């Protein structure tokens, strides 16, 4: 899934928790930003594994979307990384519950979204960037936007 979905999903969770007075709207927004920011691991893996254009956002994006020259996922998407980050998140819950909750929402929602299989895609180019969105992701985005609007209006 793309970064905008990685923002919308944890933000929606954060807003739902805001409705039961567990998080503030500002903290819900931080959940969304961190959920999207976790995608920085793709850029870091590109810098490590790429032979050319190591610092190019366009090359990183196009490799992840179209060319697939190498796996852009880092250890945080695999069981050893999930285990160690889960331990860190549990420890953070004991240190500061709100920070632990924000990290848990951002990280686990990101993992969940990355595991959803997508079959059919819409493809286009936006300048030098290759774009690809699954119909499932487009539908999920629309549902999340509606949920966010409803929760903000209630």
């Amino acid at each position: 899934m793309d970064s905008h979905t990685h923002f919308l999903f944890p933000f929606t969770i954060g807003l739902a928790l805001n409705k039961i007075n567990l998080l503030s709207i500002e903290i819900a927004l931080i959940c969304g930003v961190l959920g999207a920011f976790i995608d920085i691991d793709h850029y870091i893996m590109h810098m490590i594994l790429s032979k050319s254009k190591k610092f190019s956002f366009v090359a990183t994006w196009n490799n992840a979307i179209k060319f697939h020259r190498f796996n852009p996922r880092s250890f945080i998407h695999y069981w050893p990384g999930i285990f160690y980050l889960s331990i860190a998140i549990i420890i953070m819950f004991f240190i500061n519950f709100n920070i632990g909750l924000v990290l848990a929402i951002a990280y686990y929602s990101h993992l969940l979204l990355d595991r959803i299989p997508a079959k059919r895609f819409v493809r286009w180019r936006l300048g030098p960037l290759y774009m690809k969105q699954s119909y499932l992701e487009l539908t999920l985005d629309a549902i999340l936007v509606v949920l966010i609007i409803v929760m903000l209006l209630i």
Side-chain angles (χ1 to χ4, degrees), residues 13-110:
I13 294 169
L15 281 179
L17 293 175
N18 171 261
K19 292 302 173 191
I20 59 171
N21 296 321
L22 199 54
L23 292 177
S24 68
I25 289 181
E26 296 82 10
I27 300 297
L29 184 61
I30 291 171
C31 288
V33 170
L34 282 178
F37 187 72
I38 292 171
D39 265 344
I40 196 79
D41 73 311
H42 300 290
Y43 187 63
I44 292 168
M45 290 306 294
H46 181 83
M47 288 188 297
I48 293 169
L49 298 174
S50 180
K51 297 195 184 332
S52 64
K53 300 181 182 178
K54 288 185 175 284
F55 300 103
S56 169
F57 171 77
V58 172
T60 303
W61 181 272
N62 288 339
N63 179 63
I65 299 298
K66 179 162 175 75
F67 300 119
H68 307 288
R69 291 186 183 106
F70 50 81
N71 184 358
R73 290 190 175 171
S74 67
F75 78 99
I76 69 170
H77 289 90
Y78 301 104
W79 288 113
I82 294 169
F83 175 77
Y84 292 122
L85 283 173
S86 295
I87 297 296
I89 290 170
I90 290 167
I91 291 169
M92 186 53 71
F93 268 111
F94 289 110
I95 296 170
N96 185 314
F97 178 79
N98 283 338
I99 293 174
L101 186 59
V102 167
L103 292 175
I105 292 168
Y107 179 61
Y108 296 118
S109 68
H110 188 97

Side-chain angles (χ1 to χ4, degrees), residues 136-150:
L136 177 66
E137 185 171 3
L138 291 171
T139 304
L140 178 61
D141 289 345
I143 292 168
L144 291 172
V145 167
V146 168
L147 285 172
I148 289 168
I149 291 169
V150 167

